[in-house]
């Protein structure tokens, strides 16, 4: 094997440095086997793995690079690579790759230390670490700050379920979110996102709000809470709650709709995804009236929910048609994906309740959003600390890219 050399250059970043160094290498017909560069706070670290030609004097190459980096005020280190070491490096390219994403309002050294310890214990190598969130000025912390770091790791995970469980337990302990997903062709090629509505796209349960207006708020809220925890069958609990709304005046629906708070990050998420060509859907166990309001607000492509029966301006306490329960949500998601010609691996589904688990389980990226413990444990991924726009980080979309897309809207 020809001699292989790793060249590491570090120092204050300045324009033209990489061009200057590679120009020297080009003059000696050097082959570049690998190259990587990172800049943190205007400090550059450049690594180039090269194969030295047999016909050239290696000392001449090294001398020229040494002189050039000295002129530029940089530090350089040369490391010879053995044949065995190079062979191991080449063989590693076939090993599985994963993405571990840390999301929080603020990232601390403890967060990084604990996550990387779990990665190390699983004997995974970290290939790269990237910050996806924007730069935050000192002293400007707010309740809505968001921070994200993405780890690209490589290796064989003996027990993906146990590894995911370790990360989930750590996330709960440190009050952060950690996502773990395979770095495959689907990760950056999703095409459809389906949302639950109540407590997902909006920060309320509509049926609870209607119940307050009907004077049965406490009774309905208790049934809702038990259903979301998975303690009651959704369809049965839903019919019981709707029955308590009998006699409510139709005008109350508009009154409730006007005060429903949209979830943090919903607008940014949907606008960004639509600019990327995503199709969007609301699959809700709530009511069509409110889903269609959100459809108009966000430009949602599909809305499926329950039709509240109203006769002579009064709610009858019944719904018409088939109840949209958990299984129905999964069926609808399959139907939409088939209609759009989209593989289920290209689908994102987002929800908070036990009745969302069927659609979360069949989507390529199923996300429990600010969900109950049972749902977080069962779903593949969860976000609890950030808003809905935190989903963009799981797709590898940085704040800078989000800003670029927003400028084009």
């Amino acid at each position: 094997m020809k001699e292989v050399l790793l060249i590491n250059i570090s120092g204050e970043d300045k324009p033209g440095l990489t061009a200057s160094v590679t120009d020297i290498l080009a003059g000696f017909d050097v082959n570049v086997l690998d190259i990587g560069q990172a800049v943190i706070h205007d400090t550059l670290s450049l690594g180039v793995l090269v194969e030295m030609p047999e016909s050239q004097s290696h000392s001449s190459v090294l001398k020229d690079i040494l002189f050039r980096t000295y002129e530029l005020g940089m530090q350089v280190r040369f490391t010879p690579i053995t044949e065995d070491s190079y062979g191991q490096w080449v063989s590693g390219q076939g090993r599985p790759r994963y993405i571990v994403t840390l999301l929080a309002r603020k990232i601390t050294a403890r967060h990084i230390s604990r996550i990387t310890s779990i990665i190390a214990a699983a004997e995974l190598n970290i290939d790269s670490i990237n910050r996806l969130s924007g730069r935050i000025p000192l002293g400007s912390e707010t309740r809505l700050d968001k921070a994200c770091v993405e780890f690209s790791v490589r290796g064989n995970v003996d027990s993906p379920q146990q590894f995911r469980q370790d990360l989930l337990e750590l996330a709960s302990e440190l009050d952060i979110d950690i996502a773990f997903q395979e770095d495959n062709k689907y990760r950056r090629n999703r095409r459809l996102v389906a949302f639950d509505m109540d407590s997902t796209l909006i920060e309320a349960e509509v049926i609870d709000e209607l119940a307050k207006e009907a004077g049965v708020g406490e009774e309905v809220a208790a049934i809702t809470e038990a259903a979301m925890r998975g303690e009651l069958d959704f369809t049965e609990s839903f019919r019981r709650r709707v029955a308590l709304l009998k006699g409510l005046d139709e005008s109350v629906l508009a009154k409730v709709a006007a005060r429903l708070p949209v979830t943090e990050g919903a607008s940014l998420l949907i606008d960004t995804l639509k600019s990327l060509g995503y199709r969007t859907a609301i699959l809700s166990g709530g009511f069509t009236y409110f889903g269609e309001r959100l459809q108009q607000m966000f430009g949602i492509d599909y809305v499926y929910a329950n039709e509240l029966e109203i006769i002579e301006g009064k709610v009858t306490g019944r719904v018409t048609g088939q109840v949209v329960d958990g299984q129905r949500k999964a069926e609808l998601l399959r139907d939409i994906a088939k209609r759009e010609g989209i593989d289920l691996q290209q689908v994102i589904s987002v929800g908070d309740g036990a009745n969302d688990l069927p659609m979360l389980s069949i989507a390529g990226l199923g996300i429990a959003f600010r969900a109950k413990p049972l749902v977080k444990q069962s779903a593949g991924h969860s976000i609890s600390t950030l808003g809905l726009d935190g989903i963009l980080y799981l797709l590898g979309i940085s704040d800078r890219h989000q800003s670029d897309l927003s400028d084009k809207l």
Side-chain angles (χ1 to χ4, degrees), residues 90-101:
V90 171
S91 65
Q93 66 186 337
R95 300 170 72 190
R97 292 181 179 273
Y98 302 93
I99 299 294
V100 178
T101 310

Side-chain angles (χ1 to χ4, degrees), residues 100 114-126 151 153 163:
V100 178
R114 296 290 299 279
I115 290 174
T116 53
S117 293
I118 291 176
I119 292 172
E123 298 186 348
L124 297 173
N125 293 329
I126 298 175
F151 304 83
V153 303
F163 185 71

Side-chain angles (χ1 to χ4, degrees), residues 114-174:
R114 296 290 299 279
I115 290 174
T116 53
S117 293
I118 291 176
I119 292 172
E123 298 186 348
L124 297 173
N125 293 329
I126 298 175
D127 285 339
S128 64
I129 303 175
N130 296 303
R131 172 179 53 83
L132 299 184
S133 50
R135 301 173 182 176
I136 301 175
L138 292 175
S140 66
E141 296 177 18
T142 71
R143 184 180 63 84
L144 299 182
D145 279 345
K146 54 184 182 178
C148 175
V149 171
E150 177 186 273
F151 304 83
S152 176
V153 303
R154 172 173 43 86
N156 296 305
V157 181
D158 292 334
S159 174
Q161 187 61 37
Q162 184 59 54
F163 185 71
R164 192 184 300 276
Q165 182 63 31
D166 291 343
L167 293 176
L168 183 63
E169 291 176 359
L170 178 62
S172 177
E173 176 190 341
L174 300 182

Side-chain angles (χ1 to χ4, degrees), residues 13 15 17 80 145 192 212 257:
D13 186 30
L17 185 143
D145 279 345
L192 167 68
K212 292 175 186 176

Side-chain angles (χ1 to χ4, degrees), residues 226-262:
M228 291 299 100
R229 290 195 303 265
E231 298 171 3
L232 291 175
D233 172 74
F234 177 83
T235 301
E236 176 192 351
S237 68
F238 180 70
R239 294 192 187 281
R240 285 170 54 187
R241 287 176 288 167
V242 172
L244 291 169
L245 301 179
K246 184 178 179 179
L248 188 66
D249 195 274
E250 181 181 14
S251 63
V252 172
L253 273 66
K255 177 182 176 182
V256 169
R259 70 173 187 243
L260 293 175
V262 173

